[in-house]
Amino acid sequence: MATIQCAATTILLLLLFTSSIPKSHSQQEYVNNKQLDCDNEFNSTKGNICNGVSTSCTSYLTFKSSPPEYATPSSISYLLNSTPSLIAAANNITDVESVAADTLLTVPINCSCSGPYYQHNASYSIKILGETYFTIANNTYQSLTTCQALRAQNRFNDRNLTKGLNLHVPLRCACPTEKQRQAGFNYLLTYLVSKGESISSIGEIFGVDEQSILDANELSANSVIFYFTPISVPLKTEPPAKIQRGATPPEDSPLPPPPPPDGDSDSSKKWVIVGIVVGVVLLLLVGVALFFLCRRQRKKKNEATPPAKPFSASTTTETSKKVLDSIPTSQSWSLSSEGVRYMIESVSVYKFEELQQATGFFSEENKIKGSVYRASFKGDHAAVKVLKGDVSGEINILKRINHFNIIRLSGFCVYKGDTYLVYEFAENDSLEDWLHNDSKKYVNSVSLSWVQRVQIAHDVADALNYLHNYTSPPHVHKNLKSGNVLLDGNFRAKISNFGLARAVEDRGDDGGFQLTRHVVGTQGYMAPEYIENGLITPKMDVFAFGVVVLELLSGREAIVRDKNGTGQQMLSGIVNQVLEGENVREKLGGFMDPNLRGEYPLDLAYSMAELAKLCVAHDLNSRPQISEVFMTLSKIQSSSLDWDPSDDLERSRSVSQTSDSRYR
Ligand SMILES: *[C@@H]1O[C@H](CO)[C@@H](O)[C@H](O)[C@H]1NC(C)=O
Ligand SMILES: *[C@@H]1O[C@H](CO)[C@@H](O)[C@H](O)[C@H]1NC(C)=O
Ligand SMILES: *[C@@H]1O[C@H](CO)[C@@H](O)[C@H](O)[C@H]1NC(C)=O
Ligand SMILES: *[C@@H]1O[C@H](CO)[C@@H](O)[C@H](O)[C@H]1NC(C)=O
Ligand SMILES: *[C@@H]1O[C@H](CO)[C@@H](O)[C@H](O)[C@H]1NC(C)=O
Ligand SMILES: *[C@@H]1O[C@H](CO)[C@@H](O)[C@H](O)[C@H]1NC(C)=O
């Protein structure tokens, strides 16, 4: 991908010399393939200028169905923040009908001014490691946005994109200008240019004359348009229900003749083909050349970071263990293990003096709680945890794990028999603090909302799913509880405290999992088979997860004490009383956290309670796998998001819009 980007940059530089675009600023400037040059900003890539008659309007996007993920009105509307029924109606299909790959669908949206640009807001949660602003803009959003606009409207830089991050996605749209209105145009459609298309063929699809499209994009008759770029098409009426494209030329068509000196009506068609062929040839040539250049630069970069730690060594687990055991703290090392993942996140060995400095000599005011201190390394916050004895187990597990919802270990230090672990800093402390802590700080804050609680449950399930199913060998956390679920600045959950975590390799015929006589854990979270027989399986995490979900729902602790302080009850037992028998809705209402102030969808709360009840089943075989739990939670989460846009907010927005227009 880096290669392509490098290559694209070079192509652009070349193209810049060969083409120039008249700048009237009357309408919208065509991106002109500058959306490929992610490292630079251009006026045309930031967005369509807010220059129309009105500040908001109905507008249309086009989207090529791309199975399996985005092939139904429902899934596409989720991606583009539209409405399934409107997409279905606009394309004469049903909400859940799956259409063939590469069918071009029209998507109605509301377009409005946001600062200087017209845009339609969507949001996207990063699915896999390795997605970049470019792939999200070009591949996922099919060039309906640009990497430049994404970067400008999100506070993360490209290297900071990790799985689970939520991005704000501004989609390009526009409202008609005075001139277009006068010519009878009521809508602008953002059209995705395909292979072999020209301005005239696009005009034919929509029954619009070529000149109007050229004008709408500040293009001239002999401008080049590029495959996979967005173009504005002015429309007098709503777009047709089925977009019938002109014939696509064969894949390996020979090089077309050069365009005639005087542009005739067919010229733009030839030009787009020339554009593609020139692009492909250059891409290949320059790609090869730049591949080596980029690689060399990449290498240099890696050598250069991190600057503070002079030694950089590729090691295996064994060597790092040796370092942990034997190297005194006189030197700083940066360890990176095999695989690309470790090149991104490496675990460093710190000097004790560095830690002293970062924590203000482990001062009382930097103490977070217990033996955990707040630290600041050159302005970057971290948490330092002091542990007695050998913690190589935790280090070795965390070193190999890389997940957005698992706290990242950035380094460690061994000094006089104690181990100091340096973690990523979680600004909002632990979930336990938010749910059960009576101290002023949390009581005076706004309580966690329903959507935040669902997100937290989803995050924790995501992390457990990763531990159980995507690490090799699989791992069991063994000590999940609300106190070990940390919250970052955006209230995204990070599982911490892997002190008891272990690999569970035995999945043999007899289903034999490990047994232990040394039962340790936290009361209220430990699964019955673990307490009784010391049986260690991934299902013990599922049980503890169920308890955490019950805490999220009820705001109560894992062990609920009676009012007079004599008896106590397990939260995992209470849920059965709530969900069985009659008046379930009322009983559930009484069970829910009063701090939610009734602001939650009862049906979803019920689904979540049912899920938690399954997770805390006494018999481990009745409990679902975490992967099933994760899938159910994904559904609950997306329904919660649909529920969320609080009516009050919508109302105030439309009120402010009406009052705006009154003064115009
Ligand atoms: C980009 O936009 C700014 C402000 O809208 C304008 O001053 C500038 O001339 C534009 N640059 C180009 C190259 O059109
Ligand atoms: C919609 O599709 C149905 C068949 O699926 C067809 O009979 C009908 O004419 C279509 N309507 C439009 C407006 O294309
Ligand atoms: C645009 O907004 C209006 C009012 O907020 C809403 O009724 C309509 O469904 C929206 N259109 C789309 C395509 O989302
Ligand atoms: C779209 O997002 C931008 C940036 O976050 C915001 O300023 C604008 O109000 C949003 N527009 C709408 C219609 O929600
Ligand atoms: C942009 O996305 C399209 C469709 O996925 C793909 O064919 C094209 O190669 C991508 N462009 C680049 C430069 O990666
Ligand atoms: C990640 O983003 C934070 C701000 O959210 C910034 O301070 C930090 O430098 C970024 N890290 C990298 C590696 O880009």
Side-chain angles (χ1 to χ4, degrees), residues 177-240:
T177 58
E178 190 69 53
K179 238 171 93 185
Q180 286 167 327
R181 272 285 167 80
Q182 279 164 8
F185 293 113
N186 294 310
Y187 308 105
L188 286 166
L189 172 141
T190 308
Y191 184 81
L192 179 71
V193 178
S194 275
K195 227 176 245 177
E197 286 186 314
S198 63
I199 297 286
S200 62
S201 75
I202 294 169
E204 271 165 33
I205 298 174
F206 297 99
V208 184
D209 64 298
E210 204 178 322
Q211 194 57 47
S212 301
I213 302 180
L214 291 175
D215 287 347
N217 297 279
E218 295 183 3
L219 293 170
S220 63
N222 52 8
S223 303
V224 182
I225 61 170
F226 296 91
Y227 158 54
F228 236 76
T229 55
I231 203 159
S232 273
V233 180
L235 299 175
K236 293 185 173 157
T237 58
E238 290 167 10

Side-chain angles (χ1 to χ4, degrees), residues 553-614:
L553 291 173
S554 68
R556 304 181 203 190
E557 296 185 45
I559 292 178
V560 184
R561 275 168 236 292
D562 289 352
K563 293 229 166 61
N564 50 20
T566 46
Q568 58 181 35
Q569 243 184 324
M570 300 278 216
L571 198 51
S572 54
I574 295 177
V575 68
N576 289 313
Q577 299 157 20
V578 172
L579 295 180
E580 273 157 26
E582 289 172 359
N583 300 331
V584 169
R585 291 180 85 87
E586 279 146 47
K587 282 192 288 178
L588 180 61
F591 177 70
M592 295 295 287
D593 188 352
N595 286 327
L596 280 165
R597 297 196 186 82
E599 286 169 18
Y600 57 87
L602 189 64
D603 291 345
L604 294 179
Y606 176 76
S607 310
M608 199 125 141
E610 274 290 334
L611 180 69
K613 182 185 148 195
L614 285 177

Side-chain angles (χ1 to χ4, degrees), residues 224-267:
V224 182
I225 61 170
F226 296 91
Y227 158 54
F228 236 76
T229 55
I231 203 159
S232 273
V233 180
L235 299 175
K236 293 185 173 157
T237 58
E238 290 167 10
K242 290 254 183 313
I243 300 180
Q244 301 289 352
R245 278 198 175 130
T248 318
E251 284 292 302
D252 43 4
S253 56
L255 200 77
D262 300 318
D264 58 19
S265 73
D266 228 18
S267 66

Side-chain angles (χ1 to χ4, degrees), residues 513-552:
F513 276 105
Q514 285 128 324
L515 294 175
T516 181
R517 287 190 181 181
H518 184 58
V519 171
V520 282
T522 309
Q523 270 238 335
Y525 295 92
M526 283 187 288
E529 74 278 1
Y530 178 65
I531 299 175
E532 286 157 22
N533 303 319
L535 184 62
I536 298 169
T537 76
K539 291 287 180 73
M540 68 185 289
D541 282 348
V542 173
F543 184 94
F545 176 75
V547 178
V548 171
V549 172
L550 292 173
E551 290 179 80
L552 282 165

Side-chain angles (χ1 to χ4, degrees), residues 57 82 152 185 199 214 248 262 268 282 284 305 309 352 387-388 437 439 464 469 492 553 579 595 610 622 632 640:
C57 62
S82 178
F185 293 113
I199 297 286
L214 291 175
T248 318
D262 300 318
S268 43
L282 278 178
L284 283 177
T305 52
K309 307 187 182 68
F352 185 64
L387 294 159
K388 292 250 172 271
N437 196 326
S439 82
L464 290 180
N469 299 312
R492 297 300 301 271
L553 291 173
L579 295 180
N595 286 327
E610 274 290 334
S622 308
T632 308
S640 291

